[in-house]
Amino acid sequence: MVDIIDDEGRLFGAVNIIDALVVLLVLAVTVAGVALVFGQSDEPAPEPETDTVYATLDLGTQSSTIATVINEGDTYEVTDSNSLTISDLYVTPNGDGRPRVLARVALTGQLSDQYEGISYDGAPPRLGRTLEIVTGEYRVDGRIRALGDAQTISQDSATVVVSDRLSRSAAQAIAVGDAIRVAGRTTGTVEDLAVYATDDPNAHQVYAQLNVSATQRQGELRFGGSVLINGASITLPGDEYTLSGTVERVGGGLDRATRNVLITNVIDATDAKQITPGDISSVAGYRTAAVERVTVYDTNNPDRKRVFMGLSLTTVQHTDRPQFGEMTVQRGNNVAVQTDAYRLVGQIQRTGALEQRGRVTTRTMTFRLAGVREGRANSIQPGLTERSSEETIVQVTNVNRRPSTILIRGDDGSLGVFDHPTNRDVTITARVQVRQTTDGVRVKGQPVRQGEQVTIDLGVTTIRPTVTGIQ
């Protein structure tokens, strides 16, 4: 039997055992390398599995410059497997007039093994999480407000009525059909307008019916930073004006109506001459009232006249009471009337009527003037009249003059009654147009009782006698 390893360390007496081990090691390495090289598949390693979800980001208030450059299609790649693309935008004015931006974005990320859905930038897209958008033109961030499959932001068309006091120039600039634009995007349209005068000739009250694009959030209709409810404040920029007013109505437009009222005031005599039935009051081209009746009376001041005007008002109504400009149509409130010839403000004396209270009739009245100079006393003659709007208000039927009396102390200290040499006491009888009411007689719009004074303009003279009798 042959020894496997001899005394000199050779294998089978031919090969040194160390050399043999080296050769085996080299063969093993070679075989392993060949297996590594030729044993791999030609197919590439599988790509990570991804998906896309949609989220609404509230980017908050932005400058007009930034809001203008944010556009649909803008993309932000966080990593090779994480990207964000804007699919829709909703831009509205904030309370300060600056743009408020909502962006609907497509979020692409790798499906997570730890939780359901994708991982975007290292975490799942959850409500309230803040995400960043970075492009070559801007860098913004916003909180996730909604998640879902829709690629666009759900918007509702809402009709609202907004009131605001505008400067005269702004009220003239606003027009039906105007687009409300924010950062180059149309967010609303002016559908109807009502414009009224105010106590300031340089300001007008405007009611604008608007159609706006609103969104729903937690069951509330929102536009910009405001919930669309009655009384909410809202800002709407136009090209030449900004409506910064109050929401008067949601879900309906301008409900116009006609309301008759009687107003009164003491005004300049020149303006009083200009008023005629048929006059139309308009503001910025919008009709507000028509003069149906007018009665003008004299006052103690020849340059001032008391006017009663029966008006047909064009009102808007959003509550249980009609509105005329800034005020509710009710007794005691003021109404501004503006035509090409005059402008006046009068207090509402009656609603639902064009004329003064009471039944028109004629009464015989007696008046007394004491201590009148003889020349003036002689100027008062039967037949003289006071007229208003072609109607006879007062017609003198009889005049009785007698010297006024004076007391003179004699040399003996006694008092004597004597006729005044030039002054006269005058008693006047006249037919007077009155209104008979349940409260008594009204003359020229004012209640009259015995012992009170009345102003009468007889043309040749204006007198203020005391009423001594009413028949």
Side-chain angles (χ1 to χ4, degrees):
M1 183 172 181
V2 180
D3 292 333
I4 296 175
I5 301 174
D6 61 15
D7 295 337
E8 296 180 4
R10 291 178 295 180
L11 187 63
F12 299 107
V15 180
N16 188 287
I17 189 170
I18 295 176
D19 294 337
L21 291 174
V22 171
V23 171
L24 289 174
L25 178 61
V26 171
L27 287 174
V29 172
T30 301
V31 171
V34 170
L36 181 63
V37 173
F38 294 101
Q40 290 183 341
S41 171
D42 292 336
E43 295 181 2
E47 294 289 338
E49 190 174 356
T50 62
D51 197 5
T52 299
V53 298
Y54 289 89
T56 298
L57 293 184
D58 189 344
L59 302 180
T61 301
Q62 301 291 334
S63 68
S64 295
T65 302
I66 296 298
T68 301
V69 298
I70 301 174
N71 283 298
E72 294 87 344
D74 290 353
T75 299
Y76 171 43
E77 292 190 1
V78 182
T79 66
D80 291 340
S81 60
N82 282 235
S83 65
L84 176 154
T85 301
I86 297 177
S87 60
D88 192 23
L89 286 170
Y90 175 68
V91 183
T92 54
N94 201 39
D96 57 5
R98 294 192 300 164
R100 183 182 182 89
V101 183
L102 294 181
R104 190 68 171 178
V105 297
L107 301 176
T108 299
Q110 187 173 344
L111 288 173
S112 174
D113 296 331
Q114 302 176 0
Y115 41 78
E116 184 178 356
I118 68 168
S119 174
Y120 178 82
D121 197 15
R126 296 190 179 100
L127 294 176
R129 182 183 170 189
T130 299
L131 299 183
E132 191 175 47
I133 306 175
V134 181
T135 72
E137 294 183 279
Y138 60 87
R139 185 188 193 108
V140 295
D141 61 66
R143 290 182 178 274
I144 297 178
R145 207 174 77 175
L147 293 165
D149 298 327
Q151 300 182 26
T152 58
I153 297 171
S154 178
Q155 300 179 35
D156 295 323
S157 178
T159 298
V160 298
V161 174
V162 176
S163 66
D164 191 15
R165 177 183 273 215
L166 297 180
S167 68
R168 187 173 182 176
S169 59
Q172 291 172 339
I174 190 171
V176 173
D178 284 357
I180 305 300
R181 296 178 63 82
V182 181
R185 297 172 182 270
T186 299
T187 61
T189 305
V190 179
E191 294 186 327
D192 199 2
L193 287 169
V195 184
Y196 297 92
T198 67
D199 54 1
D200 182 353
N202 295 315
H204 296 328
Q205 180 71 13
V206 175
Y207 289 89
Q209 175 184 318
L210 308 168
N211 184 277
V212 298
S213 297
T215 59
Q216 289 277 355
R217 184 180 179 186
Q218 298 176 345
E220 296 176 326
L221 199 62
R222 291 175 175 264
F223 181 79
S226 302
V227 179
L228 288 180
I229 58 174
N230 291 352
S233 298
I234 191 170
T235 299
L236 300 156
D239 292 336
E240 301 178 60
Y241 54 85
T242 296
L243 277 173
S244 218
T246 302
V247 175
E248 300 288 347
R249 187 181 190 188
V250 179
L254 288 171
D255 283 345
R256 286 186 174 84
T258 299
R259 182 79 170 178
N260 291 336
V261 298
L262 177 71
I263 69 170
T264 184
N265 201 358
V266 176
I267 65 173
D268 187 83
T270 303
D271 288 338
K273 290 180 181 179
Q274 303 292 326
I275 304 172
T276 58
D279 288 349
I280 300 298
S281 172
S282 63
V283 180
Y286 294 90
R287 174 171 170 161
T288 60
V291 179
E292 305 290 347
R293 306 276 194 280
V294 58
T295 304
V296 181
Y297 299 120
D298 293 294
T299 67
N300 297 334
N301 185 345
D303 296 326
R304 307 284 288 173
K305 303 293 183 182
R306 178 173 294 279
V307 176
F308 288 86
M309 296 175 64
L311 302 175
S312 174
L313 303 180
T314 301
T315 62
V316 293
Q317 188 162 345
H318 311 121
T319 61
D320 58 342
R321 290 181 178 272
Q323 293 287 129
F324 185 82
E326 296 175 310
M327 67 90 193
T328 302
V329 179
Q330 63 184 26
R331 185 178 177 183
N333 285 346
N334 290 333
V335 169
V337 179
Q338 182 172 303
T339 71
D340 293 336
Y342 55 86
R343 183 184 185 281
L344 63 88
V345 176
Q347 187 180 73
I348 297 177
Q349 190 176 74
R350 300 186 71 192
T351 61
L354 297 170
E355 297 182 346
Q356 301 170 60
R357 289 192 306 112
R359 177 177 57 87
V360 178
T361 186
T362 301
R363 302 287 290 271
T364 297
M365 300 179 66
T366 54
F367 307 91
R368 182 174 183 273
L369 286 170
V372 180
R373 291 289 185 180
E374 185 176 16
R376 189 181 185 195
N378 291 336
S379 69
I380 303 172
Q381 297 290 333
L384 293 179
T385 61
E386 176 180 333
R387 299 177 63 83
S388 174
S389 302
E390 306 302 323
E391 291 186 348
T392 299
I393 306 300
V394 178
Q395 182 176 23
V396 178
T397 58
N398 186 58
V399 180
N400 187 337
R401 308 174 194 86
R402 61 181 182 180
S404 301
T405 58
I406 56 174
L407 293 175
I408 299 177
R409 186 178 298 277
D411 293 338
D412 59 359
S414 63
L415 290 175
V417 178
F418 299 90
D419 291 341
H420 195 286
T422 58
N423 288 354
R424 299 292 180 262
D425 292 340
V426 183
T427 300
I428 303 167
T429 304
R431 298 286 291 169
V432 182
Q433 184 188 88
V434 301
R435 286 187 175 268
Q436 186 70 49
T437 71
T438 56
D439 298 330
V441 170
R442 299 179 71 91
V443 177
K444 300 199 290 187
Q446 302 297 312
V448 172
R449 296 178 177 84
Q450 290 190 30
E452 297 179 341
Q453 291 182 310
V454 176
T455 299
I456 302 174
D457 184 357
L458 297 175
V460 295
T461 185
T462 298
I463 57 177
R464 188 169 172 77
T466 299
V467 178
T468 58
I470 303 175
Q471 298 180 8

